Amino acid sequence: MRYLPHTQEDIREMLAVAGSPSLDGLFDTIPDSVKTKHGLNLPEPLTEWELNDHMEKLASENIACKGYTCLIGAGSYDHYIPAIIPYLVSRSEFATAYTPYQPEVSQGTLQGIYEFQTMVTDLLGMDIATASHYDCGTALAECALIALRKNRKANKIAVSDLVHPSHRQVIETYLKPTGYEMVLIPHTARGLTDTAALEAMADIAGVAVQSPNFFGHIEDLAAFRKIADSKKILFITSFTEALAWGVLKNPGSFGADLVAGEGQSLGIAKTFGGPGLGLLAGTSKLMRDLPGRLVGRTKDTNGQDGYVLTLSTREQHIRREKASSNICSNNGLNAMTAAMYLSTVGKIGIREIAQLNHDKAVYLRSALTAAGFTPVFDSPFFNEFVMKVPEGFKKKRADLIHRHCLFAGLDLTPFYPELTDHYLFCATEKISRQQMDQLAKEVA
Amino acid sequence: MRYLPHTQEDIREMLAVAGSPSLDGLFDTIPDSVKTKHGLNLPEPLTEWELNDHMEKLASENIACKGYTCLIGAGSYDHYIPAIIPYLVSRSEFATAYTPYQPEVSQGTLQGIYEFQTMVTDLLGMDIATASHYDCGTALAECALIALRKNRKANKIAVSDLVHPSHRQVIETYLKPTGYEMVLIPHTARGLTDTAALEAMADIAGVAVQSPNFFGHIEDLAAFRKIADSKKILFITSFTEALAWGVLKNPGSFGADLVAGEGQSLGIAKTFGGPGLGLLAGTSKLMRDLPGRLVGRTKDTNGQDGYVLTLSTREQHIRREKASSNICSNNGLNAMTAAMYLSTVGKIGIREIAQLNHDKAVYLRSALTAAGFTPVFDSPFFNEFVMKVPEGFKKKRADLIHRHCLFAGLDLTPFYPELTDHYLFCATEKISRQQMDQLAKEVA
Amino acid sequence: MTRQPGTKGLIFNEPNVWDKSREGRCAISLPRADVDRAPLDPSLTGEAPNLPQLSELDVVRHYTRLSQWNFGVDSGMYPLGSCTMKYNPKTNEVQAARQGFAGAHPLAGDEFSQGALRLMYDLEKYLAEITGFAGVTLQPAAGAHGELAGMLIIHAYHAKQGKQRSKIIIPDTAHGTNPASATLCGYQSINLKSGPKGILEPEAVAAVMDEDTAGIMITNPNTLGLFEEHIREICDIVHAKGGLVYGDGANMNAIMGVVKPGKVGIDVLHLNLHKTFSTPHGGGGPGAGPVAVTEELIPFLPVPRVEKELDSFRFVSDCPESIGRLHTFYGHFGVMVKAYAYILSMGAQGLLDVSRLAVLNANYIKESLKGTLNLPYDRPCMHECVFNDAHQKKHHITTMDMAKRLLDYGFHPPTVYFPLVVEGAFMVEPTETESKEDIDQFIDAVKAIAKEAQTDPEKLTSAPVLPKVTRLDEVAAARKPCLRG
Amino acid sequence: MTRQPGTKGLIFNEPNVWDKSREGRCAISLPRADVDRAPLDPSLTGEAPNLPQLSELDVVRHYTRLSQWNFGVDSGMYPLGSCTMKYNPKTNEVQAARQGFAGAHPLAGDEFSQGALRLMYDLEKYLAEITGFAGVTLQPAAGAHGELAGMLIIHAYHAKQGKQRSKIIIPDTAHGTNPASATLCGYQSINLKSGPKGILEPEAVAAVMDEDTAGIMITNPNTLGLFEEHIREICDIVHAKGGLVYGDGANMNAIMGVVKPGKVGIDVLHLNLHKTFSTPHGGGGPGAGPVAVTEELIPFLPVPRVEKELDSFRFVSDCPESIGRLHTFYGHFGVMVKAYAYILSMGAQGLLDVSRLAVLNANYIKESLKGTLNLPYDRPCMHECVFNDAHQKKHHITTMDMAKRLLDYGFHPPTVYFPLVVEGAFMVEPTETESKEDIDQFIDAVKAIAKEAQTDPEKLTSAPVLPKVTRLDEVAAARKPCLRG
Ligand SMILES: Cc1ncc(COP(=O)(O)O)c(C=O)c1O
Ligand SMILES: Cc1ncc(COP(=O)(O)O)c(C=O)c1O
């Protein structure tokens, strides 16, 4: 096999040195009772060429291969990715390196991630960003745990029911064994998290609100900060569409204590939902409570600038059972990708692309309204919005998929059973006016 | 535009230093009468995203995008290319470098090409291989010129009429202004170059024979060497299918003086015919007559091994009008690609793949014979062969293209008018038995 | 001694990306605006984030230069113990990049995602076969995430038994993520010393295992590279007391086709696709940490599960006993594609050969170097072997000094100071994809360094000299953290 | 002075690829044999070529390490005069790699190659518009090949006039390929001195131009980076004597949208797509050298030609006056795709800006360095400027010393000792894609080196010290050529 360099002669010579009569002999320390009698039952190995055919066949069983039009967001967004990014990130010096335990030969990764941390803090207006987390859901769960751990008196965390449904499920999974509890904050008729309901809640350790929320609406984060202050609890915000911060006031400006976000929009392909990029940021006060790796700047013995993994006394490999989290590998290469994306769009590009997303969403919303859809909520949104669809839309939607490979929104019923016939639509910079007009015509 | 880094401020500052009031002012030395009055009339610039759509549309107007089955060779062959090769050759240190004029920072290119030269000499059994030429046709023309220049008495070059028709045309183009002449050697009923006809030819400076020839047949090169000796002329061989040398006796073993070949089969995509890879090899005796770059091994001031471009006194940038050729840029990156391919297949792989090509060709030939095709010639072949097709094949062939995207052979009439209803077929390692059986069924 | 790979070359200084920024530059091709501007209410909008403004070439040059400061598996031997830094096949990247996979939206619907679902379903099957378990989830995003999943399953299991337990046994050789993951489930870690042979002794386990102990976390082969020979007895002891056995499968590369953990008493096991199954580590991930379980524990696996009906596949979420959801969508699908491609490329015999040759390489190194470096546990090892700096102490040379000096020789150092049970551990895992010549070169390098430790210790204490930077001040970095520019 | 880019780093020694070979290894995935072996007659078969036997990782590591010894445009500024080393956009590579292009067989037939034909047809149109000519061929495989095509056309033109001519005028500033190409057509090169201003003087041309002279080869802007201001008069003089004017368009990057060579009297012009039109040079090619001609010369263009009928395209070969075929198929189509993508990305204004900024960068460098280095022709330049080492001579420092020292500063040196009219030429072409900061850094570097030349000449004569190897013995290489391992 081409990945295995050993020639018969190599094996003979090496066995002699290793002091084993045979390859099987190398496993003599393993009791026979423990060894498997009947090897592995797997498909015949494929050649590189058979593999290509097989994989292309599989890939072609996904609609995506047809280059479809995606008006679905809900945590995974369809944005342009510049050609330079896949090229640069696939350079093996980045892709085939391990976590930078040996900083002298990892400065590329380390400076890159340091720059990532910096650009993320700029994007979010926060003091500190970690070197990445798995995804927004797991990052948000970690934030909830921080809030709960820091608050000796309360054991509940209040979470908006307009936080991404999957993220709420992940929080539940993380909390289940801990005795902590998640309480849901309902939403108002305007599709915003109900501040009054939160006000009324007692002994909670923190509050988590997503903005733009799952309906795409921009929450009044200032109000939540106020309530959090009055309750002396941590204020956590999350988001699934990182590009929103190209135009919206960032979480830091509202005084968020912790921010969990999804960075997939920043140059990372949708890839059926993962790997994405968990963004996790906090205030300096919480520095030592943050989970996962942090890259810091320092000097070498010649006084030259350099970068290292730092504050590892928070981490499992030092603190073991007392660590702030169990995370070890994170989503480093996707963090590097996001850094490349942010450097590529820059201050001008991110603003323009963010605005374009909003422009298209506004256009699509009015086009659909004109086509007989009902705009359900009147709250400001970024690039997603909810519409009540007219009779027979379900069928038209199926047609659109088969005829134009166009996915017209996401049915909200599975997520909010009360919202039958409500769909969540998303428009990004990739959708053309003509596509939107055509859609409106077809569904009218 | 994202490729142009200049900010307005940069331009202002730089103009001040340059001493020009404006960008237009930079062109004041150009007489107005020479300047164009009405700029350029070109399409509106496309964004990266519009370009992607536009290019995919163009690409999709080529049958190739459908992943077609190609039973055509004739100088461009359909072989497997390992995934590592496009990755490695696209590394910018290779791709974005110029010709290695500064050896200290070009050792990657230089050692790589030195290894290419070495592996090509191994493949062909020759003393010296150049750093590459444009393609086989131009390399062959250069070989013809060498033979003619070295022979004061004769001004004709004898060329087999089974040398690739395009290559013969290129030779003609190169000879036209020189007063030299190309005389064709006819072929026998067995589809081989007619040695007797060559024997009979007078005052020729050299003879060029392709093997495997355009019909795919393996020529008796020893016979031509003998005749060349008797006439004291240079013996040139050429080939279009480099993989043949994985199994066939190489040109050097027959005493060829010069070899011109096409290296496209060595890991290079067909790319509508170019860029391919011109291979050019010769005996040590002819070293100083060879056209183009050569890489040689030497030492640096610390006695360390290193590589440089050498023997440049043959070349245009030193010898100018007295140079052995006018070639400057060659097909370097494709030479690097071929080196990677040869290192990947290795001694075992090239033999096995070459044999597979032959096995499949033999299978296809008998399958077609069984289907009513007539094998016209009985000479040994490598992976191409000629068949006389039955009634109505033309139409069936067109059907196969439209229904299965299968190209069943190449009509020889345009190249050899006497060979109506004769097709040249090619089978490579990529054709499966099942595909060949199906073809045979459909055309029976 | 053959010529060592390390040498000096021209690379490039490169400032922080924002230092190259100039007002007005933009490296992205801005999409055409084909609809009217729809300004947001000013009360909602903020300043544009202060991102660097560059040209496309600036960006390309910046990251090209940064990459050249890095060491990857493609650059040289990377014998990082416990990390299985094997060759990452390029064809895997080609497969994962296919539009049908990379472009797939997670909520397109089962009907339109059959290729992805089929791949996940089959990959679960293959991993179940390789590990000898009944069920597998691919959802965990990394090894530690897989451990958490496993702990949650064990926790849910005990909850279902009606009585939760408070403790879990963790050997001193365990990876730090093990106790950290246990803590996340509220379990108190009971530290268990391994025996003189470097493996667990059943008596020791019996001594601490009780009805209030949820179970044990065992890494097998353990982080000393030794096979836990008493695994069966240990499992029996734990089971007898109603506990479950968690297996850390990060070291599965040693025993594919030889031992099926699911058949020897282990109840839950996680794998690292970014180790055993050749997916690139990416300088810190993303990886994937699938979890395999026994029949009895399948109901607890996270949702959604992939199920097959006739020849079509769907996600199923109504699993009342499930621990719930661990990832926003289905885990790191892009990583799964690569592992799937690897398994199909290797086949059964290929994976067996992988383990045999990984173990051969490790034992060859162990035997070749045990005269040079101290070998605390001198026994046949599996895929890695752990030395330490005992012999070098007298020259005031530490494992770290030797590691840094290896950089000058052109090798990535082994894992150092782990596992904790070996003081000054020097943990070498060559993996099966390193050739004998490269390994011999590595052995020569270590021997040369050991000699330098006696004759020329300065060379080690001042190492490395070849990389772009010399040793970095990690203390200062932690004392006054500078985490952003 | 800002910090210079050049620094030292860890890279790797790597032997020749065959030194890593071990009997029995094979790095390719061998296709399955699904038909019977059909052995060839032993009299026809030979030994398998003795190619290296490696694993896939061996191959990947070998070429990864080699690549790290190289300097490309992505690594740093590459101001190689006359070579237009501008940024090579990555999107161009994506376009050329599309299956529909990369997989296309040249003999699939026009009907099945419409996309490729349309692209070639439109690219010809765009290049004709940019150069101001009536017709274009894309077939020449490189600049020199384009020159040959042009010379053949001129030769065919005179043949058609009934009287062939024997000479061609070539200025002393011309690139070596010019006279070499002329020789291939049997023309004797008449060397023409450029005037004191570094450009051609009409009188000088008139003095040598006669009825036996086929024409003149002019590079405009010339290789001194100066625009041939008298181009019109010169063309008139040549035409008056029945000659034709060949234009070497390798320097077209200076004048796009400013001057259309076809409109000022030039009859034939070649372009270098791998210079002006951003296709990568690949360490020596492949490039492409399209040739543009006047209406009158179109019949002589090489075959096949691409023609349009209604909205479909076809190759046409029955052109009785054509010089014939120059390439086995249609030239370097893959390179054409990239140039086409570049032109569509830039548009008319973009290409004009390219030339303006390329000229701005060159003049900025010229003015900034003319105090430091001797500037033989102190006049406004186009896209490049040519200094020499006159000021450094007194310190026994040559242009080569300065060039090598630049490597230690992290810059690729300019073109040296060309053009020949300037002794010790130091020819700087920054191109438009270099930013002011990078150019300022380069200027600082040259100034620092000029200072070193006075204070510390050793630093220059022993340069470079940072790259993997120091200066190489080219004399020995040529005296005892070792051209294979
Ligand atoms: C033995 C062991 N267990 C668990 C882990 C954690 O895996 P991950 O880094 O993917 O979370 C590692 C990784 O180093 C390991 O070596
Ligand atoms: C002025 C000039 N003419 C012609 C050429 C030859 O071009 P090519 O190397 O593509 O053959 C060059 C290349 O350096 C050049 O600079």
Side-chain angles (χ1 to χ4, degrees), chain A residues 98-99 101 134 293 316 326-330, chain C residues 81-83 141-147 173-178 219 221 223 248-251 270-272 274-275 281 287-289 384 418 427:
Chain A
Y98 201 78
T99 302
Y101 291 139
Y134 306 136
R293 312 205 186 282
Q316 45 74 27
N326 71 329
I327 189 171
C328 180
S329 292
N330 52 30
Chain C
S82 203
C83 300
H145 205 216
E147 293 173 29
T173 51
H175 190 266
T177 48
N178 289 193
T219 307
T223 61
D248 180 328
N251 295 341
H270 89 262
L271 296 167
N272 288 53
H274 46 300
K275 294 178 179 178
H281 203 285
E384 59 196 354
F418 176 79
M427 182 192 206

Side-chain angles (χ1 to χ4, degrees), chain C residues 5 8 13 56 61 87 434 467, chain D residues 5 8 13 56 87 434 467:
Chain C
K8 68 124 184 61
N13 293 312
E56 187 167 308
R61 213 170 259 174
Y87 170 57
E434 292 300 319
Chain D
K8 69 124 184 59
N13 293 311
E56 188 168 305
Y87 170 56
E434 292 300 319

Side-chain angles (χ1 to χ4, degrees), chain C residues 218-238:
Chain C
I218 297 183
T219 307
N220 194 12
N222 68 24
T223 61
L224 290 167
L226 304 176
F227 190 84
E228 294 289 353
E229 303 172 14
H230 310 301
I231 184 67
R232 266 194 194 285
E233 299 94 300
I234 291 169
C235 292
D236 294 343
I237 291 166
V238 172

